[in-house]
Amino acid sequence: MSELFDDDPRATPPRGTSGRTRALIITAVALAVMFFLLTTFASLWTDRLWFDQLGYGSVFSRLFWVRTGLFLGFGLVMGGTVAGTIVLAYRNRPLAHSGANDHGLERYRDAVTPIRIWLLVGISVIAGVFAGASGAGKWRTYLMWRNGGSFGTKDPYFGKDIGFYVFDLPWWHLIVNFVMAA
């Protein structure tokens, strides 16, 4: 009787990813990252040469460091928040099974548990990169807030200087929206 079920494909353990498939995935990711870095470097170098040719190299340097700081600041806050949330959710997960139909949940746990650290790092880095790129794109708002001044005219309704609405309020809207998203 057992000979009848020896060739059952469900009885054989599933094959893992082969070394060749893994190597192709790593190569594709490496090529994508290299392409991204090359195009970013080419864009930055072209802008640097253009600003230097016009005699505004210090403006380029200031803009570069402001955008880098915004990228790192927004990216680290979002990546840290996402990582903290994932760790908190993992620690507070239910351990008991709620019913007999939890086979899907068990398969999910079996698949995710060995790679949970990689998932934590990967998801946090991706969220951080997206938030950092978004934050770096708001350099005008930041520089207006940082270098803004007053107009010397008060708003008749709230009694605030008009400069607050032009320079400060957009930055505070950005910060509040980012904190709510994080």
Side-chain angles (χ1 to χ4, degrees):
M1 181 79 155
S2 66
E3 295 88 24
L4 295 175
F5 298 107
D6 284 342
D7 60 355
D8 186 9
R10 295 175 293 181
T12 59
R15 283 186 24 200
T17 57
S18 68
R20 185 176 188 166
T21 304
R22 185 172 291 149
L24 286 174
I25 291 171
I26 291 171
T27 303
V29 169
L31 286 174
V33 168
M34 296 274 282
F35 177 75
F36 173 74
L37 291 175
L38 181 66
T39 57
T40 301
F41 174 76
S43 174
L44 285 173
W45 187 250
T46 303
D47 287 347
R48 174 73 176 178
L49 291 176
W50 186 75
F51 274 89
D52 279 344
Q53 183 67 28
L54 295 176
Y56 293 106
S58 63
V59 173
F60 175 80
S61 296
R62 167 91 175 171
L63 182 60
F64 174 77
W65 289 115
V66 164
R67 291 180 77 174
T68 301
L70 288 171
F71 179 85
L72 291 175
F74 279 76
L76 288 174
V77 169
M78 182 62 82
T81 303
V82 168
T85 304
I86 291 172
V87 168
L88 188 64
Y90 180 76
R91 287 188 179 175
N92 293 323
R93 74 194 185 282
L95 296 176
H97 302 292
S98 60
N101 296 330
D102 285 342
H103 301 295
L105 180 62
E106 284 301 316
R107 283 196 313 256
Y108 168 75
R109 283 185 178 166
D110 290 341
V112 170
T113 300
I115 60 170
R116 70 178 183 266
I117 298 298
W118 286 103
L119 285 173
L120 170 72
V121 171
I123 292 170
S124 299
V125 165
I126 290 171
V129 166
F130 280 127
S134 175
K138 301 297 184 184
W139 62 270
R140 287 180 186 92
T141 305
Y142 170 76
L143 287 176
M144 283 177 42
W145 169 73
R146 186 81 172 112
N147 300 312
S150 71
F151 281 85
T153 305
K154 299 265 185 196
D155 174 35
Y157 191 74
F158 292 108
K160 291 252 186 214
D161 188 78
I162 302 296
F164 171 79
Y165 300 106
V166 174
F167 302 119
D168 296 341
L169 191 60
W171 175 250
W172 292 116
H173 272 287
L174 175 68
I175 294 300
V176 168
N177 288 339
F178 176 74
V179 168
M180 294 300 290

